[in-house]
Amino acid sequence: MNPEVHDATGRARGCRRRDDVGVHPLVRVGRPTPLPDAERQAILDAPVFGESFSDHMVLMRWADGAWGPIEVHPFGPLSLSPATLALHYGQSIFEAFKAYAQADGSVAVFRIEANATRMNRSAERLAMPPLPEGAFEQSCVALVDADRAWVPTSDGSALYVRPFLFGVEAHLSVRPANEYLYAVIASPVASYFGPVLGAISVAVEPVDVRATPGGTGAVKFAGNYAAGFRAHGRADAAGGDQVLWLDAVEHRWVEELNAMNVMFLWERDGHTVLTTPPLSGTILEGVTRASLLEVARDSGGELRIDEVVEEPTSIEDVRDGIEDGTLLEMFACGTAAVIVPIGRLIDAGVTRVVGTGDPGGLTMALRSALLDIQYGRTADTRGWMRTVDPADQRRHVGRMSGGNGGRSAAD
Ligand SMILES: Cc1ncc(COP(=O)(O)O)c(C=O)c1O
């Protein structure tokens, strides 16, 4: 990053001050041609993860050391130079969260301030300009409001929102870009692993590593995911649904899955203990992970979890726990899937069954506890949900002429 584009607080020039939160200029550009109701409804009735997109997208550009306005455009292709810097050197980061149809008919988003913080942490690691304070939340809420007809209402479904930021400068020098594009798109999704939640198998990756100390594993850098694809192919060949990563140094400590954190439920001296690997700098600080730890800690005796601990877990501990029965349940967690029970561990050609191999009772109880908050079926005592209020949106939106007026033209 050029030093002159940040002030002493690390804020990019042109960013709004705290008292301006929520009032970064926001304009609508062009008019979309929405999909006909019947076509949209057919998609919403059976959404396929990441396949269909809503009628709008948000764009916000950074150039000459400052952010432009948040622009709400019709969804459509971007026009980019073949020399776009991110395509060559990978300067690209992203986020993900969901908007949920609430029990009372409104639409609400879950803990997006945590995603906003993580986005700027990723930007800092990749030498990119941070978003203006409040602009992440404002842009995402504006998109969900514009596309509220795309929020599916069937059980377990949601509108998956994908903000991303990449270097768009057309240049081949190996250095941070001098121009960036921030964009937000949205896709209706059903349950990530299909209509019936079964337990998945995870395969311990024997060769590759996902993250190293000092590397990029703790942020949502696009390259982390591409670098995991080869291991995913190996897991698949071994009969696993997902990769279970070990640490890079000793190849011994359990880290996480490709796009989910991992948690364990143990029996220890008559107590039930929930554990998860600590935030060591090589795993992603999942919003779902943090939320589940809080729900489990606050649940008292209700969930029958006596203790919640962030502690390193070795792969030997997992193997031994499965064999002596002290590892009761194991699950993965993340925005896309919420919680997925893990029923099998495939490790050096040996498959071990966790518990009964079926979804565990405590795993499913924790899952329901979080889903009840996200769908507004239980009181949101922690202030995690934010209602997307149309009146609030109208107050801030200006209008600009131009834009593509449809789904197919370039930006
Ligand atoms: C590597 C990785 N770990 C964990 C997670 C879970 O994070 P969250 O709960 O914020 O979706 C994700 C998903 O974003 C991820 O990509």
Side-chain angles (χ1 to χ4, degrees):
M1 185 89 278
N2 296 337
E4 71 273 15
V5 299
H6 286 89
D7 67 15
T9 65
R11 219 167 43 199
R13 277 206 319 253
C15 290
R16 301 277 145 170
R17 295 197 323 272
R18 179 167 276 282
D19 51 4
D20 294 325
V21 167
V23 290
H24 192 77
L26 192 152
V27 292
R28 279 180 180 271
V29 185
R31 287 181 191 280
T33 316
L35 270 196
D37 286 353
E39 278 181 52
R40 187 184 64 244
Q41 197 52 51
I43 293 169
L44 295 183
D45 286 345
V48 179
F49 186 88
E51 198 175 86
S52 303
F53 299 94
S54 61
D55 292 327
H56 294 86
M57 64 182 178
V58 160
L59 301 178
M60 182 170 73
R61 291 167 202 281
W62 190 90
D64 301 323
W67 285 103
I70 298 166
E71 300 171 359
V72 181
H73 287 255
F75 182 92
L78 303 172
S79 152
L80 296 171
S81 163
T84 295
L85 203 132
L87 298 177
H88 299 269
Y89 309 125
Q91 213 186 7
S92 183
I93 60 172
F94 67 98
E95 268 303 326
F97 67 88
K98 284 177 177 169
Y100 301 87
Q102 300 294 283
D104 66 2
S106 63
V107 170
V109 292
F110 178 71
R111 300 198 76 179
I112 62 171
E113 309 73 29
N115 296 93
T117 303
R118 196 169 63 187
M119 184 86 177
N120 275 352
R121 211 180 313 132
S122 300
E124 197 275 333
R125 178 63 184 83
L126 272 294
M128 301 163 99
L131 301 185
E133 193 161 0
F136 179 94
E137 294 91 323
Q138 201 186 346
S139 60
C140 292
V141 168
L143 182 69
V144 173
D145 180 55
D147 285 338
R148 62 175 62 235
W150 282 88
V151 181
T153 52
S154 59
D155 199 30
S157 64
L159 185 65
Y160 182 85
V161 184
R162 167 56 60 85
F164 56 107
L165 170 65
F166 61 106
V168 283
E169 187 190 2
H171 213 290
L172 294 183
S173 293
V174 184
R175 57 157 173 76
N178 280 319
E179 290 167 31
Y180 292 87
L181 183 64
Y182 164 75
V184 192
I185 56 174
S187 173
V189 295
S191 172
Y192 193 68
F193 286 99
V196 180
L197 184 76
I200 61 163
S201 305
V202 293
V204 177
E205 167 54 33
V207 180
D208 293 350
V209 291
R210 195 192 83 90
T212 55
T216 55
V219 297
K220 278 187 83 76
F221 161 52
N224 291 345
Y225 299 82
F229 291 162
R230 180 169 80 168
H232 189 86
R234 246 192 308 257
D236 197 38
D241 300 300
Q242 294 275 317
V243 178
L244 184 66
W245 293 106
L246 301 182
D247 76 292
V249 179
E250 296 184 62
H251 213 70
R252 174 175 180 218
W253 302 100
V254 174
E255 298 228 297
E256 60 178 327
L257 277 64
N258 266 345
M260 284 184 276
N261 293 114
V262 64
M263 294 196 176
F264 306 94
L265 281 153
W266 308 87
E267 195 281 318
R268 285 184 188 159
D269 303 325
H271 289 94
T272 304
V273 183
L274 175 72
T275 74
T276 194
L279 300 173
S280 56
T282 54
I283 67 170
L284 194 79
E285 186 173 350
V287 179
T288 318
R289 173 190 181 280
S291 308
L292 287 171
L293 291 177
E294 209 172 316
V295 167
R297 279 189 182 117
D298 291 354
S299 67
E302 252 174 77
L303 276 168
R304 291 180 293 111
I305 296 171
D306 301 306
E307 216 182 317
V308 178
V309 192
E310 294 173 62
E311 65 177 26
T313 297
S314 70
I315 193 65
E316 296 89 18
D317 288 341
V318 178
R319 281 184 212 131
D320 293 349
I322 293 175
E323 276 165 16
D324 66 18
T326 53
L327 177 55
L328 305 171
E329 300 178 26
M330 182 172 170
F331 61 90
C333 60
T335 295
V338 191
I339 280 186
V340 190
I342 297 173
R344 282 176 172 68
L345 179 84
I346 302 168
D347 177 23
V350 179
T351 299
R352 292 178 174 82
V353 177
V354 184
T356 62
D358 290 324
L362 280 175
T363 299
M364 297 309 276
L366 262 175
R367 186 171 192 273
S368 298
L370 189 57
L371 285 172
D372 284 348
I373 297 170
Q374 292 174 329
Y375 285 97
R377 296 189 290 248
T378 193
D380 170 28
T381 54
R382 301 174 186 86
W384 283 349
M385 304 306 294
R386 170 171 168 171
T387 304
V388 178
D389 175 1
D392 198 33
Q393 292 305 305
R394 277 195 298 274
R395 275 200 289 281
H396 295 300
V397 181
R399 181 167 285 284
M400 262 164 63
S401 58
N404 61 40
R407 287 188 149 247
S408 55
D411 71 327

